[in-house]
Amino acid sequence: MQEIDNIMNGQKLFQRPEYKEVLENKKEFEGSMGAVNPAKVEEIAEWTKTWDYREKNLAREAITVNPAKACQPLGAVMVALGFENTMPYVHGSHGCVAYFRSYFTRHFKEPTPCVSDSMTEDAAVFGGLVNMKDGLKNCAALYKPEMIAVSTTCMAEVIGDDLFAFSVAAKEEDGGEYLPEDYPITYAHTPSFTGSHITGYDNMMQGIMSQLTDGVEVVKNDKINIIPGFETYIGSIRSVKSIAEKMGADFTMIGDHSDQWDMPAGEYSMFQGGTPIEEAKACKSAKATISLQKYATTKTMKMVTKRWKHDGGTFNPVGLKGTDEFVMKLAELTGNEIPQSLKTERGRLVDAMQDSYPYMHAKKFAIWGDPDFLIGAVSFLLEMGAIPTHVLCHNAPRGWEDEMRALLDTSPRADECHVWAGKDLWHMRSLLFTEPVDFMIGNSYGKELMRDTNTPLIYIGFPIFDRHHLHRYSISGYDGAINLLTWITNKVLDQLDEDTKGIASTDYFFDIVR
Amino acid sequence: MGPESLEAKQKAAVEEVLKAYPAKAAKNRAKHLGVGGPEDETQKTCGNVRSNKKTVPGVMSQRGCAYAGSKGVVWGPVKDMVHISHGPIGCGQYSRAGRRNYYIGTTGVDTFVTMNFSSDFQEKDIVFGGDKKLEVCFSEIDELFPLNNGITVQSECPIGLIGDDINATSKQYTKKTGQTVVPVNCEGFRGVSQSLGHHIANDTVRDYVFDGNPAMLGEPVAVTDYDVAIIGDYNIGGDAWSSRILLEEMGLRVVAQWSGDATLKEMAQTTKAKLNLLHCYRSMNYISRHMEKEFGIPWVEYNFFGPSQTIKSLRKIAAFFDEGVQAKCEEVIAKYQPMVDAVTNKYRPLLEGKQVMLFVGGLRPRHVIGAYEDLGMEVIGTGYEFAHDDDYKRTKDEIFRSTVIYDDVNEYELEAFVKKLQPDLVASGIKEKYVFQKMGLPYRQMHSWDYSGPYHGYDGFAIFAADMDLAINSPVWAHTSAPWDKEGEA
């Protein structure tokens, strides 16, 4: 029973003897192997750690277990929230939208506005036109967004609804009351059964950029567009903007969701920050477009470079080299010298790397996440002399595996580095048991791997649900690289303390100074 | 309350909210909003609201889908089975381990609740169908997770649209291997909310657990006269455990938990129970009614939130049994009363008169009202995501004062109601949490217990009280206005 001066929640409550007894007695009814024959559970648990199990596990063809990817419309919602006063609108069932909102909200600890047009069984039969007509009108009336950005769930994709035709029909029926002729309703088809959330990001970004600029006269200017990609580090967007400002670039961040998911307390307004629609409409006139995430913007960049003939390209400013290349590209595009302030920032990063390198050098890492994140983070690990033993990308697009392999081949210990494209985190579990590493870098889904394999987890990636505020930091630019360095080094040191704190046995190495 | 009565203020709020809508939507929403009076016999449902209808498109509803109702609520917590999210990758990922259905077991070996199994549909599966892939999924699961006691197939939207026959595929596999496989046609577009998913899932328990004769480990459990099952408790934060202890203390034997920390065997054995105890009526009344009809097991609704309702419920349950149980029931009540008094004495003065607005799912919009009122707090607004008429009828008996009732409330409405009625605490889900916290309003998630709990039973009530105090009386809310803000402007 609870004691009034020491009310405990479930964490400790269920450790009390009366509850231990209750849970022990419950086993009589359970019929799970743990209740019937715990030795068998132990035996199978041990088997899952073997090479035999690993081979069977890696041979899986159909079932995915503990994935490290999500579906297209999630990325589309992120794009929409990067534009000023823009409502993400998902054409399909509302269950999906409840999921997208919860998922982002659990990561950012911030509200995530998004509507759905709540298609149900009749829409599955007759199509979702009525839902879209009503949905766009209601959304515009209630929330008064400046733009509505429509993506689709797999339901709408399977029945083949035509977003363009539907949005035209919606405007026609509304007759200009809530949806005037020139009201921007941008759209992208985002089928969940193709690619992953980064594909959805790409499709929506390409959709918005091409549709907003459609019919807008191109008057070439000196501007540079910067597309962040599926960036879950708010601070990264700010670091990149700060670099561009220091370089004196006249730039537009296309799809800037940094303020939307970082609202100050005080009052709530549904939308904050974002690329102004007028500025986005002019993005075709820019002379260059830089994408910070190649694999999250493949289609978008194809349009920008092939059809729009923009200069630019992809520059991934994670790690030292990536940031250097980004800075040099900006120098080239602006014609400006690299300012002392950036040179100093770089110097500070290199200084920090030289201070901490003994702790990362030759340490073995397992890492997973989105393809662009991995290119950046693995580059940084290599710059520090670490060994990226297992690099796993569940949503690896075509070309990524080769690029990652080539990157790893620059390591003097390339033969110890393995690339795992299209594999999931249950595969990773086998890899960690059979070819162990010192540390893991990944998202909250790594938690169970940490528990099962005893490998310390450094939280970097998306989603992170069970650690607070990390998303506020930057992992891009020179300052972002210092954050990466700090998190990784200090986890190594925490672990060193953990491993050496044994009194009168190992604590001679429990140094006060390191 | 000033010159304007609470009821008048609430009615005005409802009227005002409706003004923002286009005509067609306003007409629809008007039927879902109302003001309920306690014991108002003129009202058919609480606030006379209509429910379980299609959501108005484009309004930012908080509702989920049938898949969420089946995989997320009913089947997902059954710990010794593998639940396949069948279709594209997203649904399983977004719903992975977010509900805090606690369980004991070796995850990945004999229990699987917090894991995510997906058939990860690709375009070719949509075009050519996914039945063959599903069959391979079954055998891969049985090879790599040999201690699973069964598999369920949780259909995502495309399955029902492309004409896959998961029922035949599952049946075939069961025939070939003897493995329990439960196909669930809970595609997200079915019905109007999670609710139909609960019903569909309940029906599959009937068809595949009761009628399916699943193979089970261990000896059959001997039957006693005191066997009861907890139905509709998902063990969020350990709720079913802090309920179970009380039932056992009064001499009953809890043979099954549905479905938090449940096993297939527990569910199958429930057909021999003497009484079914139904907590979440909405999600599991179907199977309770079926067991009553088919196996003659009576069921009784109970409420373990807050001491007043807990005491009432314990006595109601004891009344089904002999005097021995009834005597023990009184002993249990007497045993915990000093702790309850201590909790109330400590927290009531800190919470007295604080007003609360709720918006939750299954049973909580009515069941938790008593717990707040036990602490002297006043619930002035409540509503359900996916309730039916019978829920709103039951709500009439649980409200204490004039209460604004909002069915399937959306972001716009909830924000407007909160701004108008100015409660001291909003208690709802994760999607709304930060909206209200931004405004400087204390907030508690009432789906996940905000990562605390359990809230059921006597021990749970102490945690509930402490958590409400934590939320309402935290110093952080006072920091919202800066010292340089002019008085009255903050």
Side-chain angles (χ1 to χ4, degrees):
Chain A
M1 200 195 304
Q2 297 275 14
E3 291 155 26
I4 190 65
D5 295 322
N6 184 26
I7 293 173
M8 42 183 73
N9 69 17
Q11 185 205 347
K12 289 184 180 153
L13 180 69
F14 298 128
Q15 294 299 319
R16 295 179 68 115
E18 67 266 30
Y19 277 100
K20 284 199 157 166
E21 195 188 326
V22 163
L23 292 173
E24 190 53 38
N25 291 342
K26 180 175 181 292
K27 288 184 180 163
E28 182 191 347
F29 311 104
E30 289 191 336
S32 59
M33 194 56 87
V36 177
N37 183 1
K40 186 76 188 168
V41 175
E42 190 63 29
E43 179 199 321
I44 297 296
E46 284 306 311
W47 173 57
T48 66
K49 301 174 184 173
T50 62
W51 278 89
D52 174 53
Y53 189 87
R54 167 177 162 153
E55 274 155 30
K56 290 185 166 72
N57 189 9
L58 284 169
R60 262 190 282 138
E61 285 172 2
I63 192 74
T64 293
V65 185
N66 296 348
K69 62 176 181 178
C71 69
Q72 281 212 44
L74 187 81
V77 169
M78 176 182 275
V79 174
L81 290 173
F83 290 86
E84 197 172 52
N85 295 321
T86 297
M87 181 67 87
Y89 179 114
V90 183
H91 179 56
S93 157
H94 52 223
C96 310
V97 167
Y99 281 147
F100 308 145
R101 294 179 66 210
S102 307
Y103 207 64
F104 278 134
T105 300
R106 286 177 177 143
H107 175 80
F108 290 112
K109 319 291 181 206
E110 294 283 331
T112 303
C114 179
V115 303
S116 144
D117 52 19
S118 299
M119 283 166 65
T120 52
E121 207 143 7
D122 50 350
V125 178
F126 302 112
L129 177 60
V130 177
N131 297 68
M132 190 124 161
K133 283 177 177 174
D134 287 346
L136 288 170
K137 186 201 273 269
N138 291 333
C139 170
L142 284 188
Y143 300 110
K144 303 182 173 57
E146 260 182 76
M147 174 164 86
I148 298 177
V150 185
S151 56
T152 48
T153 72
C154 50
M155 173 204 188
E157 285 303 312
V158 171
I159 64 175
D161 279 358
D162 180 343
L163 294 180
F164 174 68
F166 283 15
S167 63
V168 171
K171 279 185 181 174
E172 230 161 65
E173 178 151 314
D174 178 66
E177 193 182 355
Y178 296 99
L179 306 168
E181 189 67 44
D182 59 349
Y183 187 79
I185 300 173
T186 47
Y187 61 91
H189 290 275
T190 49
S192 305
F193 41 81
T194 310
S196 68
H197 54 286
I198 61 168
T199 322
Y201 183 95
D202 195 12
N203 284 332
M204 192 80 239
M205 182 56 84
Q206 193 267 345
I208 289 182
M209 285 177 74
S210 69
Q211 292 152 29
L212 277 186
T213 54
D214 192 30
V216 177
E217 194 193 346
V218 175
V219 186
K220 272 288 168 197
N221 57 36
D222 259 354
K223 281 206 155 192
I224 302 167
N225 300 318
I226 301 177
I227 305 172
F230 193 90
E231 180 54 76
T232 58
Y233 283 89
I234 295 306
S236 283
I237 294 181
R238 294 183 182 148
S239 288
V240 166
K241 286 200 279 195
S242 154
I243 290 173
E245 276 160 20
K246 285 175 184 152
M247 283 306 308
D250 184 5
F251 71 99
T252 305
M253 184 70 79
I254 306 281
D256 178 358
H257 49 260
S258 58
D259 288 347
Q260 177 66 34
W261 276 311
D262 194 15
M263 288 185 198
E267 55 184 297
Y268 173 67
S269 73
M270 189 164 272
F271 305 113
Q272 296 222 350
T275 312
I277 307 293
E278 287 310 311
E279 226 175 292
K281 279 181 179 169
C283 73
K284 199 172 172 179
S285 299
K287 73 165 175 186
T289 298
I290 291 177
S291 163
L292 306 178
Q293 292 188 358
K294 176 173 159 184
Y295 296 101
T297 57
T298 315
K299 193 172 156 189
T300 307
M301 287 307 283
K302 200 171 164 187
M303 171 183 81
V304 168
T305 53
K306 300 260 155 112
R307 275 173 33 208
W308 293 7
K309 312 278 184 218
H310 280 196
D311 193 354
T314 315
F315 293 86
N316 186 335
V318 177
L320 180 66
K321 182 163 166 272
T323 305
D324 285 345
E325 286 169 356
F326 175 60
V327 167
M328 286 189 292
K329 185 68 191 178
L330 287 178
E332 178 201 315
L333 289 172
T334 57
N336 295 337
E337 288 288 314
I338 296 168
Q340 189 52 47
S341 59
L342 278 176
K343 289 179 181 166
T344 305
E345 266 189 48
R346 184 185 195 278
R348 285 179 185 143
L349 168 61
V350 173
D351 178 65
M353 291 165 78
Q354 291 166 350
D355 291 344
S356 306
Y357 76 92
Y359 295 101
M360 276 175 74
H361 186 86
K363 291 284 188 303
K364 291 182 176 182
F365 287 84
I367 181 169
W368 67 91
D370 283 342
D372 295 292
F373 162 74
L374 287 171
I375 296 283
V378 167
S379 305
F380 183 67
L381 289 176
L382 293 173
E383 285 162 357
M384 290 303 298
I387 307 169
T389 308
H390 301 298
V391 181
L392 184 146
C393 184
H394 196 184
N395 52 343
R398 196 173 301 142
W400 178 86
E401 190 174 358
D402 291 342
E403 186 180 349
M404 181 52 74
R405 187 65 259 171
L407 178 60
L408 292 173
D409 284 344
T410 64
S411 164
R413 299 177 67 167
D415 54 337
E416 295 172 52
C417 305
H418 308 288
V419 188
W420 303 97
K423 297 297 178 193
D424 58 42
L425 295 178
W426 193 257
H427 292 126
M428 180 62 101
R429 189 175 182 272
S430 279
L431 302 175
L432 292 168
F433 276 127
T434 50
E435 292 176 275
V437 298
D438 300 305
F439 296 91
M440 298 186 287
I441 293 177
N443 54 22
S444 290
Y445 300 124
K447 196 168 188 164
E448 298 198 341
L449 295 170
M450 169 173 71
R451 177 194 59 198
D452 293 357
T453 69
N454 223 2
T455 316
L457 171 64
I458 302 166
Y459 280 87
I460 310 175
F462 171 84
I464 293 174
F465 295 148
D466 61 331
R467 292 292 182 275
H468 283 211
H469 306 303
L470 292 173
H471 68 274
R472 296 179 193 271
Y473 288 80
S474 169
I475 63 166
S476 297
Y478 301 121
D479 58 334
I482 290 183
N483 288 334
L484 289 175
L485 180 68
T486 308
W487 296 337
I488 299 169
T489 304
N490 284 337
K491 187 72 181 187
V492 172
L493 292 172
D494 283 345
Q495 191 60 34
L496 189 52
D497 288 347
E498 197 57 37
D499 294 343
T500 58
K501 71 180 186 191
I503 295 171
S505 58
T506 57
D507 64 353
Y508 52 85
F509 215 85
F510 191 68
D511 283 305
I512 286 282
V513 185
R514 295 202 202 270
Chain B
M1 210 58 245
E4 200 181 10
S5 76
L6 178 61
E7 191 185 348
K9 214 169 166 179
Q10 288 166 333
K11 284 185 169 157
V14 169
E15 263 176 48
E16 202 177 301
V17 152
L18 290 167
K19 284 181 193 157
Y21 287 101
K24 184 177 166 190
K27 197 174 153 202
N28 181 314
R29 286 306 301 159
K31 296 176 189 159
H32 294 262
L33 305 174
V35 177
E39 286 149 45
D40 183 345
E41 292 311 315
T42 65
Q43 295 192 337
K44 213 170 134 258
T45 63
C46 198
N48 271 329
V49 299
R50 186 176 78 153
S51 55
N52 196 33
K53 299 288 180 207
K54 278 196 271 184
T55 294
V56 171
V59 298
M60 214 180 305
S61 163
Q62 318 288 16
R63 277 177 167 175
C65 63
Y67 162 89
S70 176
K71 188 265 186 182
V73 176
V74 175
W75 275 113
V78 179
K79 65 179 176 179
D80 59 341
M81 298 174 82
V82 169
H83 309 289
I84 303 175
S85 292
H86 188 38
I89 198 73
C91 314
Q93 193 71 324
Y94 306 129
S95 60
R96 181 178 176 190
R99 259 177 73 81
R100 306 184 70 233
N101 309 108
Y102 281 4
Y103 64 101
I104 302 287
T106 307
T107 303
V109 181
D110 73 336
T111 47
F112 311 94
V113 179
T114 55
M115 295 172 68
N116 174 6
F117 293 82
S118 170
S119 54
D120 188 10
F121 260 37
Q122 301 300 307
E123 192 147 16
K124 65 175 192 302
D125 302 313
I126 299 287
V127 177
F128 300 111
D131 285 334
K132 280 214 175 80
K133 187 175 198 179
L134 182 60
E135 208 190 323
V136 183
C137 286
F138 295 154
S139 45
E140 287 178 352
I141 286 168
D142 281 339
E143 185 186 23
L144 292 167
F145 306 94
L147 303 187
N148 84 75
N149 283 340
I151 298 171
T152 74
V153 184
Q154 306 290 329
S155 301
E156 300 170 8
C157 286
I159 303 307
L161 298 170
I162 61 175
D164 270 15
D165 192 348
I166 60 165
N167 298 31
T169 309
S170 303
K171 208 167 169 184
Q172 228 167 14
Y173 188 78
T174 299
K175 209 169 150 193
K176 204 167 75 184
T177 62
Q179 169 69 308
T180 300
V181 181
V182 183
V184 191
N185 295 107
C186 54
E187 288 85 349
F189 61 81
R190 293 192 195 280
V192 299
S193 67
Q194 295 92 311
S195 185
L196 188 60
H198 305 142
H199 197 154
I200 292 168
N202 276 225
D203 288 351
T204 56
V205 174
R206 177 194 65 203
D207 296 346
Y208 295 88
V209 179
F210 293 165
D211 299 349
N213 279 324
M216 284 176 295
L217 294 175
E219 298 298 313
V221 178
V223 175
T224 77
D225 287 340
Y226 301 101
D227 292 356
V228 296
I230 292 178
I231 312 276
D233 187 326
Y234 301 102
N235 205 34
I236 289 166
D239 279 340
W241 296 336
S242 60
S243 303
R244 185 183 184 101
I245 195 168
L246 301 177
L247 299 166
E248 292 184 345
E249 280 183 58
M250 64 190 243
L252 303 176
R253 213 171 72 134
V254 180
V255 297
Q257 286 178 197
W258 290 56
S259 57
D261 195 32
T263 61
L264 176 65
K265 186 173 178 179
E266 286 179 48
M267 294 173 90
Q269 285 172 158
T270 306
T271 57
K272 297 197 181 80
K274 293 292 176 292
L275 178 66
N276 279 331
L277 311 177
L278 182 56
H279 208 240
C280 181
Y281 169 85
R282 179 72 275 132
S283 60
M284 285 198 173
N285 76 85
Y286 318 101
I287 200 69
S288 305
R289 290 177 201 278
H290 174 75
M291 283 192 268
E292 182 178 42
K293 203 172 118 214
E294 201 65 20
F295 309 108
I297 307 170
W299 52 278
V300 56
E301 287 178 66
Y302 71 109
N303 178 352
F304 271 4
F305 287 104
S308 301
Q309 290 292 344
T310 303
I311 290 168
K312 220 193 259 180
S313 296
L314 286 171
R315 287 188 175 133
K316 190 155 88 170
I317 294 164
F320 280 84
F321 295 91
D322 56 37
E323 283 171 5
V325 170
Q326 288 168 25
K328 272 194 194 158
C329 169
E330 292 307 319
E331 282 170 30
V332 170
I333 292 168
K335 175 184 156 189
Y336 284 95
Q337 195 58 44
M339 187 265 274
V340 167
D341 291 341
V343 169
T344 319
N345 290 340
K346 181 172 176 180
Y347 290 106
R348 194 172 174 125
L350 300 167
L351 299 169
E352 186 93 50
K354 299 287 184 192
Q355 296 194 322
V356 185
M357 286 177 68
L358 299 166
F359 185 69
V360 218
L363 71 157
R364 293 166 180 170
R366 63 173 179 276
H367 266 34
V368 299
I369 292 174
Y372 282 109
E373 299 280 348
D374 282 341
L375 292 168
M377 300 172 75
E378 302 171 357
V379 175
I380 59 164
T382 193
Y384 301 75
E385 277 181 42
F386 49 80
H388 300 202
D389 267 4
D390 43 7
D391 294 293
Y392 284 103
K393 279 181 188 149
R394 285 166 165 76
T395 310
K396 287 199 291 184
D397 304 330
E398 309 232 17
I399 59 172
F400 282 71
R401 56 181 50 72
S402 178
T403 307
V404 58
I405 307 290
Y406 27 75
D407 177 65
D408 182 20
V409 82
N410 55 59
E411 179 92 10
Y412 177 84
E413 291 172 358
L414 192 58
E415 210 186 308
F417 285 137
V418 167
K419 280 182 174 158
K420 177 85 183 167
L421 300 173
Q422 302 271 315
D424 302 288
L425 177 81
V426 182
S428 184
I430 183 68
K431 301 189 287 293
E432 307 84 50
K433 175 172 180 170
Y434 301 99
V435 169
F436 297 108
Q437 287 200 172
K438 296 281 175 210
M439 301 176 188
L441 259 176
Y443 191 96
R444 288 297 292 183
Q445 286 184 69
M446 291 300 276
H447 297 267
S448 67
W449 305 150
D450 233 314
Y451 323 119
S452 175
Y455 283 175
H456 288 180
Y458 288 110
D459 286 340
F461 175 65
I463 302 166
F464 173 79
D467 284 351
M468 294 311 135
D469 170 49
L470 166 96
I472 286 195
N473 296 314
S474 164
V476 297
W477 309 115
H479 308 325
T480 304
S481 53
W484 54 80
D485 286 337
K486 281 186 209 141
E487 221 170 300
E489 265 182 27

